[in-house]
Amino acid sequence: MGSSREIAIGPVAVVSMLLSSMIQKIENPATDPAAYRKMVFTVTLFAGIFQAVFGMLRLGFLVDFLSHAAIVGFMGGAAIVIGLQQLKGLLGISHFTTETDVVSVLESVFTSIDHPWCPLNFVLGCSFLIFLLIARFIGRRKNKLFWFPAIAPLISVILSTLIVFLSKADKHGVKIVKHIKGGLNPSSLHEIQFKGPHVGQAAKIGLISAIIALTEAIAVGRSFASIKGYHLDGNKEMVAMGFMNMAGSLTSCYVATGSFSRTAVNFSAGCETVVSNIVMAITVFLTLELFTRLLYYTPIAILASIILSALPGLIDLHEAYYIWKVDKLDFLACIGAFFGVLFASVEIGLLAAVTISFAKILLNSIRPGIEDLGRLPRTETYCDIKQYPMAIKTPGILVVRVNSALLCFANANFIRERIMKWVTEEEDHVFDGNTKGGIQVVILDMSNVTNIDTAGILALEELNKKLLSIETELAIANPKWQVVQKLKVAKFVDRIGRGRIFMTVGEAVAASINTKLTSLNNC
């Protein structure tokens, strides 16, 4: 149902970790696996419902609240935590913490060292981890061998299973997977819970996982759509993901989304349509029906090494450095998400990232850029004097441009005070004898302002009164139609004078000069 042609659907590390960490706080899979399983299916259903509703209500913009910088930090922190949690399988540790913060995980690792553990797990896991990393390196260096890192995990599972089976290593301390239930997933309709003490918590976890899953899927889809040169409809993707997860919750599945690694393999293999997902589903079906018995002797250390080999791709130091160079506030959101996930929890990391992103938006809204304009020589173009030092200021006229789409309660007072500060500074220069005359006209370029509220209009009225008290006039240049309409309704245009509204800054400057010359001639 989605618009992406390359995206490959399935479980992903971040969403898996998110569900595991949050649901384990409510139901313990070790003590009550049935209740844990019911909670997972209920959360998946809620996630699907939220995703479908988001798409139907065309709320694709909600995904954008998790900025690119926040996702980079979140993925990096999640990758480190996931990697540390794999030490349980890599070292063959029996008792391990269910917490996800790095302090608890490391504490669990160090306290488990005193307990008996089998070094063969570590040797086997590290050996195949090195093989997987080498395969990934070869695949990156030689495009023709793109398939090698794709089948390397399968080769690792087959070889390690054969080694354990032939050497009877499971009797010498190597932990194995043992029995895996084969066949298609049974219906889980009867396991979904709409009553009970944890329904509200299930809905909350479903909402969080829905947003994370959508963010990853749409980000992956857009990346490959841009390469192929077509448009990805975020709302369609939301609806498709929603119905997919709702169907999955009824067939013993947990939240799935677009996987970057599988999509990359799909793309490299030359897929053109979503039929590739049907082929993938058939392959999984055949494996469940025919090959599950062959996985009995698969060592758990190999599964840990496969997950560990995928984690370096989630930690993007180059992108983090790029964010640092481009925007320090974006980097702060990145670091907030990273440390929040690393030292607290997934929820805290996401909350920190979103809070910092919102703070950045508020800061830019409250303190917008205000430019002092001057005319470029031999043109009628007015530009920021700081950016173009050759721009010429007209004596007695201050031209100011507001770089904000809104003149509202959040920034109106800041803009008014900033303009008055400039005017006062010019007046001080006059009294010091440094200039020939003070500011007689303030021209407010409102070409960037698309809307204004009552607080903005009130600020303009107060600015006009203060300027008139020091014998300075206010003029407005290039206001948008919606702004002009509100200024007319508020009677501000009548108070300032209809002749003080101009189409361009050049017209406002010319009219102000003519007014000054007329006044001088009359004198």
Side-chain angles (χ1 to χ4, degrees):
M1 294 174 65
S3 58
S4 175
R5 303 168 192 168
E6 297 84 18
I7 198 165
I9 299 300
V12 296
V14 174
V15 176
S16 301
M17 190 204 74
L18 176 72
L19 291 175
S20 175
S21 64
M22 298 183 76
I23 296 176
Q24 280 185 30
K25 294 177 181 178
I26 303 170
E27 298 288 358
N28 192 331
T31 58
D32 195 350
Y36 179 81
R37 193 167 54 248
K38 290 178 181 179
M39 191 70 176
V40 170
F41 299 147
T42 306
V43 166
T44 303
L45 178 63
F46 275 117
I49 292 172
F50 280 122
Q51 289 172 335
V53 170
F54 288 162
M56 290 176 179
L57 296 178
R58 307 190 67 81
L59 299 178
F61 66 90
L62 288 175
V63 178
D64 296 330
F65 280 114
L66 277 176
S67 65
H68 171 68
I71 294 172
V72 170
F74 172 77
M75 297 282 275
I80 293 175
V81 173
I82 292 170
L84 291 172
Q85 287 179 328
Q86 299 315 307
L87 293 176
K88 175 185 178 182
L90 200 63
L91 299 174
I93 299 172
S94 300
H95 303 286
F96 205 73
T97 181
T98 58
E99 298 295 326
T100 58
D101 63 284
V102 67
V103 176
S104 299
V105 173
L106 286 176
E107 184 181 356
S108 182
V109 171
F110 287 125
T111 53
S112 299
I113 293 176
D114 298 332
H115 299 283
W117 63 284
C118 179
L120 289 176
N121 289 287
F122 183 73
V123 172
L124 193 64
C126 286
S127 300
F128 281 96
L129 175 60
I130 294 170
F131 165 70
L132 290 167
L133 293 175
I134 291 173
R136 181 164 296 203
F137 177 77
I138 292 172
R140 283 203 193 106
R141 285 299 180 93
K142 296 185 178 181
N143 294 331
K144 292 183 179 179
L145 296 176
F146 69 89
W147 50 269
F148 184 45
I151 67 169
L154 181 60
I155 294 172
S156 301
V157 170
I158 294 172
L159 287 179
S160 63
T161 304
L162 285 173
I163 291 171
V164 173
F165 175 72
L166 296 174
S167 65
K168 306 296 182 183
D170 57 308
K171 295 181 180 179
H172 298 283
V174 174
K175 294 185 178 295
I176 57 174
V177 172
K178 296 184 179 179
H179 179 68
I180 297 176
K181 188 177 180 180
L184 285 178
N185 290 349
S187 171
S188 55
L189 177 61
H190 62 284
E191 297 194 64
I192 295 175
Q193 298 176 315
F194 291 106
K195 294 180 181 179
H198 303 311
V199 175
Q201 291 171 301
K204 184 191 79 170
I205 298 171
L207 176 61
I208 295 173
S209 58
I211 295 173
I212 296 299
L214 283 175
T215 301
E216 180 158 353
I218 293 176
V220 170
R222 282 177 179 169
S223 300
F224 289 93
S226 63
I227 297 173
K228 286 286 186 75
Y230 68 90
H231 174 69
L232 188 78
D233 190 331
N235 293 309
K236 280 187 178 180
E237 293 299 311
M238 285 183 166
V239 173
M241 293 286 170
F243 280 106
M244 176 193 70
N245 281 314
M246 281 192 282
S249 69
L250 304 178
T251 54
S252 301
C253 297
Y254 69 91
V255 180
T257 185
S259 166
F260 189 88
S261 57
R262 281 191 290 274
T263 304
V265 174
N266 240 10
F267 177 79
S268 301
C271 82
E272 294 292 338
T273 68
V274 291
V275 173
S276 59
N277 278 289
I278 298 175
V279 175
M280 193 187 310
I282 293 172
T283 306
V284 172
F285 166 71
L286 292 174
T287 303
L288 288 171
E289 289 290 345
L290 304 174
F291 304 130
T292 53
R293 292 181 181 178
L294 301 178
L295 300 174
Y296 183 89
Y297 289 98
T298 301
I300 293 175
I302 290 303
L303 305 181
S305 66
I306 291 172
I307 295 173
L308 285 169
S309 69
L311 297 182
L314 298 177
I315 304 173
D316 197 339
L317 295 176
H318 176 75
E319 189 66 19
Y321 178 64
Y322 169 77
I323 293 169
W324 163 260
K325 289 196 300 182
V326 174
D327 193 318
K328 300 299 186 289
L329 284 177
D330 264 358
F331 183 74
L332 188 61
C334 177
I335 290 297
F338 177 79
F339 285 116
V341 172
L342 204 60
F343 292 104
S345 64
V346 172
E347 307 97 295
I348 297 299
L350 292 175
L351 181 62
V354 172
T355 301
I356 294 171
S357 298
F358 267 113
K360 176 185 173 183
I361 295 171
L362 288 174
L363 185 62
N364 290 333
S365 299
I366 293 172
R367 300 179 67 85
I370 303 174
E371 299 174 353
D372 185 4
L373 306 183
R375 183 177 59 83
L376 291 178
R378 297 184 297 277
T379 70
E380 291 299 321
T381 304
Y382 285 80
C383 302
D384 183 11
I385 290 177
K386 290 183 179 179
Q387 185 175 358
Y388 298 93
M390 75 289 294
I392 303 169
K393 293 186 67 173
T394 305
I397 299 176
L398 176 65
V399 184
V400 178
R401 179 162 59 207
V402 179
N403 286 331
S404 175
L406 297 175
L407 183 56
C408 59
F409 67 93
N411 57 24
N413 288 330
F414 172 78
I415 293 171
R416 184 196 64 209
E417 296 301 324
R418 185 69 178 272
I419 294 173
M420 285 306 304
K421 182 180 178 181
W422 279 348
V423 173
T424 305
E425 288 175 353
E426 289 291 336
E427 293 293 330
D428 292 340
H429 283 306
V430 172
F431 289 121
D432 291 340
N434 295 326
T435 59
K436 295 181 179 179
I439 299 297
Q440 299 169 6
V441 179
V442 173
I443 299 173
L444 191 60
D445 181 3
M446 298 183 69
S447 55
N448 294 328
V449 180
T450 59
N451 208 342
I452 189 171
D453 65 0
T454 53
I457 296 172
L458 182 62
L460 288 180
E461 290 178 348
E462 292 177 358
L463 177 63
N464 185 46
K465 289 178 182 178
K466 288 187 176 182
L467 291 175
L468 289 175
S469 67
I470 56 175
E471 298 182 352
T472 302
E473 295 181 346
L474 176 65
I476 295 176
N478 198 16
K480 302 295 183 185
W481 176 84
Q482 190 173 1
V483 174
V484 172
Q485 287 298 110
K486 289 189 176 183
L487 293 179
K488 285 182 178 179
V489 171
K491 307 293 184 182
F492 178 76
V493 174
D494 295 331
R495 282 191 285 273
I496 194 177
R498 293 182 179 271
R500 306 304 298 166
I501 309 291
F502 300 93
M503 291 183 63
T504 65
V505 175
E507 288 183 5
V509 172
S512 300
I513 292 174
N514 290 335
T515 302
K516 287 169 61 179
L517 291 174
T518 303
S519 300
L520 290 172
N521 291 332
N522 291 335
C523 291

